[in-house]
Amino acid sequence: MADAAATVDHWAVTNPAALPADLDAFSLSVPPLFAALAPARNVLIAGAGGGFDVYAGLPLAFALWRGGTQVHLASLSFSELELVDREAWVTEHVAAVGPDTVSPDWYFPEGTLARWLAAHELPSTVYAFPPLGVQPLRAAYRHLVERLDIDAIVLVDGGTDVLLRGDESDLGTPVEDITSLAAVTALDVPVKLVSSLGFGIDAYDGVNHVQVLENLAALDREGGYLGALSIPGASREARLYRDAVADAQAATPERPSIVQGQIAAATSGAFGDVRFTRRTGGGDLFVNPLMAIYFTVDLDKLAARCLYLDRIEHTIGRRQVITRIQAFRDELLNARVPRAFPH
């Protein structure tokens, strides 16, 4: 092991690109995620992948709120937002959903979350975007940046497919995640991060997590990996998060979030094939402590590694994003071979 470590150290020293530009930028004593956000006064935490993804940002939001930071929540919505009260719309593609916002759509995670936040005396507006292409979604984000004086954005993904670059054996369900990534990378905001919570969950959709780790290692060499941060199960943040997820499950019993349910179970120390909904009846789950860890990367460095981001840059609608990603995959000649964990 000593020889291997020496080899790695020698490789890093002789390859400057493998080291961050500022070796003192982060320290073990302060989690890099919080160090990066420390200068920010108005943070936007947004669900990258739609639906309940915004819930994956709640533990981070709770910690930042407690520290005095202004935090705003946003979500790429799968609800029928066109049915929401007209007065909720603050601009063409942004609805400010509050605890009193009315929608006849039974699936409305943003409204459910807003009501839960209000009941816990926390800031209770959740900004919602309809499914869009890159250009209108970027305009929606830009509106919020200007409206709320945002100086940091954290895209959160419940799962790991946002960390994939395009040449992996399978991309999972990348449409919303990568649309969000493409939209935000062009914004002039001082701090832009991506945090993934729920490592391993996307195996259900074909994601090979050895390749996820390989991508994180590559980002680390480029100075774009901010490390992994576990959510302590007994912490206030974990307890509030579990309560919010339980509330959401009760509000949408026909379609509870499988992703957030597994993460919540992981934060409570559950392990293995944990059942909390009939939706998982067809397969085996593998809830484990890795699901309760934030893996955080620099958003712009992640975007720069995506092999097809340029193809979706000028999209207007979601369908365009889908077809262009599929065209890229159809043309891909050398997808990386999936590998199993060696231990």
Side-chain angles (χ1 to χ4, degrees):
M1 291 297 291
D3 289 343
T7 299
V8 171
D9 287 345
H10 173 74
W11 178 84
V13 169
T14 56
N15 291 269
L19 297 172
D22 181 0
L23 294 179
D24 295 321
F26 299 120
S27 166
L28 188 62
S29 62
V30 179
L33 170 57
F34 285 93
L37 294 174
R41 292 295 171 263
N42 292 288
V43 178
L44 179 65
I45 297 177
F52 286 100
D53 257 13
V54 64
Y55 277 72
L58 289 179
L60 176 59
F62 298 146
L64 292 173
W65 273 324
R66 195 172 194 180
T69 303
Q70 292 287 326
V71 178
H72 306 274
L73 300 175
S75 173
L76 187 59
S77 181
F78 289 151
S79 302
E80 296 186 58
L81 286 182
E82 66 273 14
L83 302 178
V84 169
D85 301 337
R86 179 173 297 181
E87 56 268 25
W89 292 89
V90 297
T91 191
E92 183 180 6
H93 294 304
V94 183
V97 177
D100 299 321
T101 301
V102 176
S103 171
D105 189 357
W106 64 269
Y107 179 80
F108 193 25
E110 296 80 15
T112 300
L113 178 55
R115 289 188 290 274
W116 183 90
L117 290 166
H120 288 75
E121 299 182 340
L122 292 166
S124 57
T125 298
V126 181
Y127 294 95
F129 316 120
L132 299 165
V134 171
Q135 291 295 317
L137 184 59
R138 182 177 296 152
Y141 268 105
R142 184 174 286 118
H143 176 86
L144 285 186
V145 167
E146 295 171 355
R147 176 187 179 94
L148 303 173
D149 195 24
I150 297 298
D151 52 4
I153 297 177
V154 183
L155 291 183
V156 289
D157 180 23
T160 52
D161 45 13
V162 73
L163 300 175
L164 305 181
R165 67 194 304 257
D167 62 350
E168 293 82 5
S169 55
D170 199 298
L171 300 187
T173 55
V175 174
E176 287 75 25
D177 298 297
I178 303 303
T179 301
S180 298
L181 181 68
V184 173
T185 191
L187 298 179
D188 184 16
V189 175
V191 178
K192 291 178 287 183
L193 305 175
V194 172
S195 279
S196 162
L197 184 66
F199 185 89
I201 288 175
D202 286 331
Y204 176 83
D205 291 312
V207 172
N208 180 268
H209 284 77
V210 171
Q211 294 177 338
V212 173
L213 294 175
E214 186 178 14
N215 291 354
L216 289 173
L219 282 162
D220 198 12
R221 293 193 296 272
E222 297 170 3
Y225 179 48
L226 279 71
L229 179 64
S230 180
I231 302 170
S235 66
R236 173 179 177 271
E237 291 82 4
R239 294 195 305 271
L240 286 171
Y241 169 70
R242 288 193 294 267
D243 190 79
V245 171
D247 176 76
Q249 290 172 338
T252 54
E254 297 302 315
R255 196 179 167 188
S257 172
I258 296 172
V259 171
Q260 303 304 324
Q262 290 182 80
I263 297 170
T267 68
S268 67
F271 184 82
D273 192 14
V274 179
R275 297 291 165 169
F276 50 86
T277 171
R278 291 174 296 175
R279 293 184 67 200
T280 61
D284 293 332
L285 302 182
F286 185 57
V287 172
N288 67 85
L290 292 176
M291 291 180 176
I293 295 175
Y294 279 120
F295 292 86
T296 302
V297 301
D298 178 278
L299 187 148
D300 288 340
K301 285 184 168 61
L302 178 66
R305 287 181 50 79
C306 182
L307 299 175
Y308 59 88
L309 212 65
D310 59 327
R311 298 207 181 194
I312 66 171
E313 168 63 22
H314 300 291
T315 54
I316 303 300
R318 181 177 182 271
R319 176 58 58 181
Q320 287 178 295
V321 177
I322 294 171
T323 57
R324 294 184 188 188
I325 294 176
Q326 187 58 56
F328 167 80
R329 290 291 289 181
D330 290 343
E331 297 167 15
L332 186 66
L333 298 177
N334 296 305
R336 284 146 62 186
V337 177
R339 297 166 56 192
F341 282 104
H343 49 73

